[in-house]
mmCIF file of all heavy atoms in Angstrom:
data_model
loop_
_atom_site.group_PDB
_atom_site.id
_atom_site.type_symbol
_atom_site.label_atom_id
_atom_site.label_comp_id
_atom_site.label_asym_id
_atom_site.label_seq_id
_atom_site.Cartn_x
_atom_site.Cartn_y
_atom_site.Cartn_z
ATOM 1 N N ARG A 1 125.269 44.992 326.968
ATOM 2 C CA ARG A 1 125.812 44.829 328.314
ATOM 3 C C ARG A 1 124.920 45.516 329.339
ATOM 4 O O ARG A 1 124.722 45.013 330.410
ATOM 5 C CB ARG A 1 127.230 45.380 328.398
ATOM 6 C CG ARG A 1 128.229 44.404 327.795
ATOM 7 C CD ARG A 1 129.599 44.651 328.302
ATOM 8 N NE ARG A 1 130.204 45.689 327.479
ATOM 9 C CZ ARG A 1 131.288 46.347 327.789
ATOM 10 N NH1 ARG A 1 131.898 46.105 328.921
ATOM 11 N NH2 ARG A 1 131.790 47.257 327.004
ATOM 12 N N ARG A 2 124.360 46.673 328.983
ATOM 13 C CA ARG A 2 123.453 47.347 329.914
ATOM 14 C C ARG A 2 122.204 46.514 330.144
ATOM 15 O O ARG A 2 121.759 46.353 331.250
ATOM 16 C CB ARG A 2 123.076 48.722 329.376
ATOM 17 C CG ARG A 2 124.110 49.743 329.733
ATOM 18 C CD ARG A 2 123.681 51.114 329.344
ATOM 19 N NE ARG A 2 124.732 51.588 328.466
ATOM 20 C CZ ARG A 2 124.564 52.231 327.349
ATOM 21 N NH1 ARG A 2 123.386 52.524 326.928
ATOM 22 N NH2 ARG A 2 125.581 52.589 326.628
ATOM 23 N N SER A 3 121.630 45.957 329.080
ATOM 24 C CA SER A 3 120.418 45.162 329.258
ATOM 25 C C SER A 3 120.716 43.879 330.029
ATOM 26 O O SER A 3 119.873 43.393 330.769
ATOM 27 C CB SER A 3 119.766 44.848 327.911
ATOM 28 O OG SER A 3 120.587 44.012 327.147
ATOM 29 N N ARG A 4 121.917 43.330 329.884
ATOM 30 C CA ARG A 4 122.304 42.134 330.628
ATOM 31 C C ARG A 4 122.184 42.399 332.121
ATOM 32 O O ARG A 4 121.674 41.577 332.876
ATOM 33 C CB ARG A 4 123.732 41.723 330.277
ATOM 34 C CG ARG A 4 124.247 40.562 331.135
ATOM 35 C CD ARG A 4 125.714 40.271 330.908
ATOM 36 N NE ARG A 4 126.580 41.414 331.056
ATOM 37 C CZ ARG A 4 127.107 41.812 332.204
ATOM 38 N NH1 ARG A 4 126.852 41.186 333.308
ATOM 39 N NH2 ARG A 4 127.886 42.863 332.243
ATOM 40 N N GLU A 5 122.633 43.571 332.571
ATOM 41 C CA GLU A 5 122.540 43.908 333.979
ATOM 42 C C GLU A 5 121.087 43.999 334.424
ATOM 43 O O GLU A 5 120.748 43.618 335.539
ATOM 44 C CB GLU A 5 123.277 45.214 334.258
ATOM 45 C CG GLU A 5 124.791 45.086 334.078
ATOM 46 C CD GLU A 5 125.494 46.419 334.127
ATOM 47 O OE1 GLU A 5 124.839 47.456 334.347
ATOM 48 O OE2 GLU A 5 126.721 46.424 333.935
ATOM 49 N N GLU A 6 120.234 44.491 333.550
ATOM 50 C CA GLU A 6 118.826 44.644 333.898
ATOM 51 C C GLU A 6 118.115 43.306 334.031
ATOM 52 O O GLU A 6 117.235 43.159 334.872
ATOM 53 C CB GLU A 6 118.112 45.502 332.853
ATOM 54 C CG GLU A 6 118.609 46.924 332.816
ATOM 55 C CD GLU A 6 118.108 47.686 331.614
ATOM 56 O OE1 GLU A 6 117.268 47.156 330.871
ATOM 57 O OE2 GLU A 6 118.552 48.826 331.427
ATOM 58 N N ILE A 7 118.480 42.331 333.197
ATOM 59 C CA ILE A 7 117.758 41.057 333.222
ATOM 60 C C ILE A 7 118.541 39.931 333.892
ATOM 61 O O ILE A 7 118.053 38.821 334.023
ATOM 62 C CB ILE A 7 117.330 40.623 331.801
ATOM 63 C CG1 ILE A 7 118.553 40.439 330.906
ATOM 64 C CG2 ILE A 7 116.356 41.623 331.210
ATOM 65 C CD1 ILE A 7 118.239 39.892 329.543
ATOM 66 N N GLY A 8 119.765 40.212 334.348
ATOM 67 C CA GLY A 8 120.524 39.249 335.116
ATOM 68 C C GLY A 8 121.118 38.102 334.313
ATOM 69 O O GLY A 8 121.387 37.050 334.864
ATOM 70 N N GLU A 9 121.333 38.268 333.041
ATOM 71 C CA GLU A 9 121.950 37.219 332.225
ATOM 72 C C GLU A 9 123.456 37.211 332.419
ATOM 73 O O GLU A 9 124.023 38.137 332.976
ATOM 74 C CB GLU A 9 121.633 37.457 330.746
ATOM 75 C CG GLU A 9 120.181 37.264 330.403
ATOM 76 C CD GLU A 9 119.741 35.817 330.504
ATOM 77 O OE1 GLU A 9 120.535 34.931 330.148
ATOM 78 O OE2 GLU A 9 118.618 35.583 330.952
ATOM 79 N N GLY A 10 124.102 36.162 331.922
ATOM 80 C CA GLY A 10 125.558 36.053 331.986
ATOM 81 C C GLY A 10 126.243 37.064 331.082
ATOM 82 O O GLY A 10 125.606 37.721 330.257
ATOM 83 N N ALA A 11 127.541 37.178 331.242
ATOM 84 C CA ALA A 11 128.329 38.135 330.469
ATOM 85 C C ALA A 11 128.310 37.794 328.982
ATOM 86 O O ALA A 11 128.409 36.636 328.603
ATOM 87 C CB ALA A 11 129.765 38.157 330.973
ATOM 88 N N LEU A 12 128.186 38.799 328.160
ATOM 89 C CA LEU A 12 128.212 38.643 326.710
ATOM 90 C C LEU A 12 129.669 38.551 326.272
ATOM 91 O O LEU A 12 130.471 39.428 326.572
ATOM 92 C CB LEU A 12 127.529 39.843 326.053
ATOM 93 C CG LEU A 12 127.421 39.860 324.552
ATOM 94 C CD1 LEU A 12 126.547 38.703 324.067
ATOM 95 C CD2 LEU A 12 126.837 41.181 324.078
ATOM 96 N N ASP A 13 130.037 37.453 325.592
ATOM 97 C CA ASP A 13 131.423 37.341 325.124
ATOM 98 C C ASP A 13 131.509 37.150 323.624
ATOM 99 O O ASP A 13 132.592 37.084 323.068
ATOM 100 C CB ASP A 13 132.180 36.240 325.853
ATOM 101 C CG ASP A 13 131.767 34.851 325.431
ATOM 102 O OD1 ASP A 13 130.714 34.686 324.793
ATOM 103 O OD2 ASP A 13 132.506 33.906 325.734
ATOM 104 N N GLY A 14 130.387 37.085 322.932
ATOM 105 C CA GLY A 14 130.392 36.970 321.483
ATOM 106 C C GLY A 14 128.988 36.965 320.933
ATOM 107 O O GLY A 14 128.029 36.693 321.655
ATOM 108 N N LEU A 15 128.892 37.298 319.657
ATOM 109 C CA LEU A 15 127.607 37.225 318.970
ATOM 110 C C LEU A 15 127.847 37.060 317.478
ATOM 111 O O LEU A 15 128.897 37.419 316.969
ATOM 112 C CB LEU A 15 126.719 38.441 319.242
ATOM 113 C CG LEU A 15 127.237 39.828 318.856
ATOM 114 C CD1 LEU A 15 126.689 40.228 317.502
ATOM 115 C CD2 LEU A 15 126.776 40.825 319.887
ATOM 116 N N VAL A 16 126.866 36.467 316.803
ATOM 117 C CA VAL A 16 126.927 36.269 315.358
ATOM 118 C C VAL A 16 125.634 36.803 314.771
ATOM 119 O O VAL A 16 124.545 36.456 315.232
ATOM 120 C CB VAL A 16 127.099 34.772 314.998
ATOM 121 C CG1 VAL A 16 127.071 34.575 313.494
ATOM 122 C CG2 VAL A 16 128.387 34.228 315.571
ATOM 123 N N LEU A 17 125.748 37.656 313.766
ATOM 124 C CA LEU A 17 124.595 38.227 313.070
ATOM 125 C C LEU A 17 124.668 37.814 311.612
ATOM 126 O O LEU A 17 125.677 38.036 310.950
ATOM 127 C CB LEU A 17 124.612 39.753 313.173
ATOM 128 C CG LEU A 17 124.677 40.327 314.581
ATOM 129 C CD1 LEU A 17 124.993 41.804 314.544
ATOM 130 C CD2 LEU A 17 123.365 40.083 315.307
ATOM 131 N N SER A 18 123.592 37.198 311.107
ATOM 132 C CA SER A 18 123.563 36.743 309.714
ATOM 133 C C SER A 18 122.496 37.490 308.931
ATOM 134 O O SER A 18 121.422 37.782 309.451
ATOM 135 C CB SER A 18 123.263 35.246 309.655
ATOM 136 O OG SER A 18 124.311 34.528 310.250
ATOM 137 N N GLY A 19 122.810 37.771 307.683
ATOM 138 C CA GLY A 19 121.878 38.425 306.779
ATOM 139 C C GLY A 19 122.114 37.946 305.359
ATOM 140 O O GLY A 19 122.982 37.101 305.114
ATOM 141 N N VAL A 20 121.374 38.480 304.407
ATOM 142 C CA VAL A 20 121.504 38.041 303.021
ATOM 143 C C VAL A 20 122.851 38.425 302.409
ATOM 144 O O VAL A 20 123.341 37.753 301.512
ATOM 145 C CB VAL A 20 120.346 38.582 302.142
ATOM 146 C CG1 VAL A 20 119.024 38.001 302.595
ATOM 147 C CG2 VAL A 20 120.299 40.084 302.161
ATOM 148 N N ALA A 21 123.477 39.486 302.913
ATOM 149 C CA ALA A 21 124.752 39.935 302.359
ATOM 150 C C ALA A 21 125.953 39.277 303.028
ATOM 151 O O ALA A 21 127.080 39.488 302.608
ATOM 152 C CB ALA A 21 124.865 41.451 302.478
ATOM 153 N N GLY A 22 125.723 38.497 304.078
ATOM 154 C CA GLY A 22 126.832 37.838 304.758
ATOM 155 C C GLY A 22 126.587 37.724 306.237
ATOM 156 O O GLY A 22 125.488 37.939 306.725
ATOM 157 N N THR A 23 127.650 37.409 306.956
ATOM 158 C CA THR A 23 127.572 37.206 308.391
ATOM 159 C C THR A 23 128.667 38.018 309.065
ATOM 160 O O THR A 23 129.777 38.122 308.556
ATOM 161 C CB THR A 23 127.754 35.708 308.729
ATOM 162 O OG1 THR A 23 126.725 34.980 308.081
ATOM 163 C CG2 THR A 23 127.685 35.449 310.212
ATOM 164 N N ALA A 24 128.334 38.592 310.217
ATOM 165 C CA ALA A 24 129.301 39.322 311.025
ATOM 166 C C ALA A 24 129.344 38.670 312.397
ATOM 167 O O ALA A 24 128.308 38.294 312.945
ATOM 168 C CB ALA A 24 128.916 40.786 311.152
ATOM 169 N N ALA A 25 130.538 38.521 312.929
ATOM 170 C CA ALA A 25 130.718 37.962 314.257
ATOM 171 C C ALA A 25 131.565 38.915 315.084
ATOM 172 O O ALA A 25 132.462 39.565 314.564
ATOM 173 C CB ALA A 25 131.403 36.602 314.183
ATOM 174 N N VAL A 26 131.243 38.996 316.357
ATOM 175 C CA VAL A 26 132.027 39.765 317.312
ATOM 176 C C VAL A 26 132.427 38.802 318.421
ATOM 177 O O VAL A 26 131.587 38.069 318.934
ATOM 178 C CB VAL A 26 131.221 40.922 317.933
ATOM 179 C CG1 VAL A 26 132.076 41.731 318.885
ATOM 180 C CG2 VAL A 26 130.616 41.804 316.867
ATOM 181 N N LYS A 27 133.697 38.792 318.788
ATOM 182 C CA LYS A 27 134.176 37.920 319.856
ATOM 183 C C LYS A 27 135.076 38.723 320.781
ATOM 184 O O LYS A 27 136.004 39.411 320.325
ATOM 185 C CB LYS A 27 134.955 36.735 319.258
ATOM 186 C CG LYS A 27 135.500 35.786 320.281
ATOM 187 C CD LYS A 27 134.396 35.104 321.055
ATOM 188 C CE LYS A 27 134.987 34.161 322.096
ATOM 189 N NZ LYS A 27 134.039 33.797 323.092
ATOM 190 N N LEU A 28 134.798 38.671 322.062
ATOM 191 C CA LEU A 28 135.601 39.346 323.062
ATOM 192 C C LEU A 28 137.017 38.771 323.060
ATOM 193 O O LEU A 28 137.190 37.556 323.057
ATOM 194 C CB LEU A 28 134.965 39.126 324.441
ATOM 195 C CG LEU A 28 135.592 39.843 325.612
ATOM 196 C CD1 LEU A 28 135.243 41.323 325.560
ATOM 197 C CD2 LEU A 28 135.091 39.235 326.909
ATOM 198 N N ILE A 29 138.020 39.651 323.023
ATOM 199 C CA ILE A 29 139.417 39.228 323.142
ATOM 200 C C ILE A 29 139.862 39.466 324.584
ATOM 201 O O ILE A 29 140.380 38.576 325.239
ATOM 202 C CB ILE A 29 140.339 39.991 322.174
ATOM 203 C CG1 ILE A 29 139.914 39.744 320.731
ATOM 204 C CG2 ILE A 29 141.793 39.586 322.392
ATOM 205 C CD1 ILE A 29 140.656 40.603 319.716
ATOM 206 N N THR A 30 139.691 40.699 325.045
ATOM 207 C CA THR A 30 139.938 41.106 326.424
ATOM 208 C C THR A 30 138.772 42.006 326.815
ATOM 209 O O THR A 30 137.953 42.353 325.951
ATOM 210 C CB THR A 30 141.261 41.893 326.560
ATOM 211 O OG1 THR A 30 141.098 43.180 325.949
ATOM 212 C CG2 THR A 30 142.440 41.160 325.953
ATOM 213 N N PRO A 31 138.673 42.436 328.063
ATOM 214 C CA PRO A 31 137.580 43.360 328.411
ATOM 215 C C PRO A 31 137.602 44.672 327.627
ATOM 216 O O PRO A 31 136.597 45.361 327.551
ATOM 217 C CB PRO A 31 137.798 43.608 329.906
ATOM 218 C CG PRO A 31 138.488 42.377 330.384
ATOM 219 C CD PRO A 31 139.392 41.968 329.247
ATOM 220 N N ALA A 32 138.719 45.003 326.998
ATOM 221 C CA ALA A 32 138.826 46.267 326.270
ATOM 222 C C ALA A 32 138.810 46.116 324.751
ATOM 223 O O ALA A 32 138.644 47.103 324.038
ATOM 224 C CB ALA A 32 140.099 46.994 326.683
ATOM 225 N N TYR A 33 138.972 44.898 324.224
ATOM 226 C CA TYR A 33 139.093 44.696 322.781
ATOM 227 C C TYR A 33 138.202 43.565 322.288
ATOM 228 O O TYR A 33 137.977 42.589 322.999
ATOM 229 C CB TYR A 33 140.543 44.374 322.395
ATOM 230 C CG TYR A 33 141.491 45.502 322.676
ATOM 231 C CD1 TYR A 33 142.243 45.515 323.848
ATOM 232 C CD2 TYR A 33 141.630 46.562 321.789
ATOM 233 C CE1 TYR A 33 143.116 46.554 324.126
ATOM 234 C CE2 TYR A 33 142.500 47.596 322.057
ATOM 235 C CZ TYR A 33 143.234 47.596 323.225
ATOM 236 O OH TYR A 33 144.084 48.629 323.495
ATOM 237 N N ALA A 34 137.787 43.703 321.030
ATOM 238 C CA ALA A 34 136.971 42.663 320.402
ATOM 239 C C ALA A 34 137.474 42.390 318.990
ATOM 240 O O ALA A 34 138.051 43.258 318.331
ATOM 241 C CB ALA A 34 135.512 43.090 320.328
ATOM 242 N N LEU A 35 137.225 41.172 318.552
ATOM 243 C CA LEU A 35 137.539 40.741 317.194
ATOM 244 C C LEU A 35 136.256 40.826 316.381
ATOM 245 O O LEU A 35 135.199 40.379 316.828
ATOM 246 C CB LEU A 35 138.035 39.295 317.209
ATOM 247 C CG LEU A 35 138.266 38.645 315.847
ATOM 248 C CD1 LEU A 35 139.559 39.174 315.238
ATOM 249 C CD2 LEU A 35 138.323 37.143 315.988
ATOM 250 N N LEU A 36 136.336 41.421 315.191
ATOM 251 C CA LEU A 36 135.208 41.474 314.264
ATOM 252 C C LEU A 36 135.547 40.625 313.058
ATOM 253 O O LEU A 36 136.646 40.722 312.517
ATOM 254 C CB LEU A 36 134.952 42.910 313.791
ATOM 255 C CG LEU A 36 134.717 43.962 314.859
ATOM 256 C CD1 LEU A 36 134.612 45.335 314.208
ATOM 257 C CD2 LEU A 36 133.467 43.652 315.650
ATOM 258 N N LEU A 37 134.608 39.816 312.634
ATOM 259 C CA LEU A 37 134.807 38.961 311.475
ATOM 260 C C LEU A 37 133.604 39.131 310.562
ATOM 261 O O LEU A 37 132.464 39.001 310.997
ATOM 262 C CB LEU A 37 134.934 37.508 311.932
ATOM 263 C CG LEU A 37 135.201 36.450 310.873
ATOM 264 C CD1 LEU A 37 136.488 36.730 310.125
ATOM 265 C CD2 LEU A 37 135.249 35.079 311.527
ATOM 266 N N LYS A 38 133.861 39.469 309.308
ATOM 267 C CA LYS A 38 132.802 39.645 308.306
ATOM 268 C C LYS A 38 133.076 38.663 307.178
ATOM 269 O O LYS A 38 134.165 38.677 306.604
ATOM 270 C CB LYS A 38 132.817 41.072 307.777
ATOM 271 C CG LYS A 38 131.779 41.356 306.740
ATOM 272 C CD LYS A 38 131.880 42.820 306.294
ATOM 273 C CE LYS A 38 131.012 43.029 305.108
ATOM 274 N NZ LYS A 38 131.759 43.378 303.917
ATOM 275 N N VAL A 39 132.096 37.786 306.890
ATOM 276 C CA VAL A 39 132.290 36.764 305.859
ATOM 277 C C VAL A 39 131.116 36.770 304.882
ATOM 278 O O VAL A 39 130.018 37.243 305.193
ATOM 279 C CB VAL A 39 132.466 35.360 306.461
ATOM 280 C CG1 VAL A 39 133.709 35.292 307.322
ATOM 281 C CG2 VAL A 39 131.269 34.939 307.263
ATOM 282 N N ALA A 40 131.368 36.211 303.718
ATOM 283 C CA ALA A 40 130.340 36.100 302.679
ATOM 284 C C ALA A 40 129.239 35.143 303.141
ATOM 285 O O ALA A 40 129.449 34.312 304.030
ATOM 286 C CB ALA A 40 130.979 35.601 301.385
ATOM 287 N N PRO A 41 128.066 35.224 302.516
ATOM 288 C CA PRO A 41 126.982 34.324 302.896
ATOM 289 C C PRO A 41 127.321 32.864 302.605
ATOM 290 O O PRO A 41 128.180 32.557 301.781
ATOM 291 C CB PRO A 41 125.801 34.766 302.024
ATOM 292 C CG PRO A 41 126.270 35.870 301.169
ATOM 293 C CD PRO A 41 127.710 36.140 301.454
ATOM 294 N N GLY A 42 126.661 31.966 303.329
ATOM 295 C CA GLY A 42 126.796 30.541 303.054
ATOM 296 C C GLY A 42 127.679 29.771 304.007
ATOM 297 O O GLY A 42 127.702 28.548 303.986
ATOM 298 N N ILE A 43 128.433 30.463 304.873
ATOM 299 C CA ILE A 43 129.284 29.767 305.829
ATOM 300 C C ILE A 43 128.470 29.561 307.108
ATOM 301 O O ILE A 43 127.868 30.496 307.621
ATOM 302 C CB ILE A 43 130.568 30.563 306.112
ATOM 303 C CG1 ILE A 43 131.351 30.751 304.805
ATOM 304 C CG2 ILE A 43 131.424 29.869 307.159
ATOM 305 C CD1 ILE A 43 132.513 31.682 304.909
ATOM 306 N N PRO A 44 128.428 28.342 307.632
ATOM 307 C CA PRO A 44 127.623 28.071 308.830
ATOM 308 C C PRO A 44 128.052 28.926 310.032
ATOM 309 O O PRO A 44 129.247 29.125 310.269
ATOM 310 C CB PRO A 44 127.870 26.587 309.112
ATOM 311 C CG PRO A 44 128.371 26.024 307.820
ATOM 312 C CD PRO A 44 129.088 27.137 307.128
ATOM 313 N N ALA A 45 127.074 29.407 310.783
ATOM 314 C CA ALA A 45 127.344 30.264 311.935
ATOM 315 C C ALA A 45 128.228 29.570 312.961
ATOM 316 O O ALA A 45 129.079 30.206 313.585
ATOM 317 C CB ALA A 45 126.034 30.714 312.579
ATOM 318 N N GLY A 46 128.063 28.258 313.149
ATOM 319 C CA GLY A 46 128.892 27.526 314.099
ATOM 320 C C GLY A 46 130.359 27.561 313.724
ATOM 321 O O GLY A 46 131.234 27.699 314.580
#
């Protein structure tokens, strides 16, 4: 969020990180809370 202000990008509301051990996703619920999802490898990021 700090770097977003520096480069003028839109608000971050989610991200997906994939690795060999699985995938983690973060999704904004409200400005104060986020949902974390951790799944086994092989499920498409979309």
Side-chain angles (χ1 to χ4, degrees):
R1 282 201 275 166
R2 276 186 237 137
S3 66
R4 174 187 53 87
E5 292 170 3
E6 295 169 7
I7 61 175
E9 292 291 323
L12 181 64
D13 73 345
L15 60 97
V16 176
L17 305 168
S18 295
V20 295
T23 300
V26 182
K27 180 64 181 163
L28 185 74
I29 300 172
T30 71
Y33 296 97
L35 174 76
L36 304 175
L37 182 59
K38 180 179 170 244
V39 297
I43 300 171

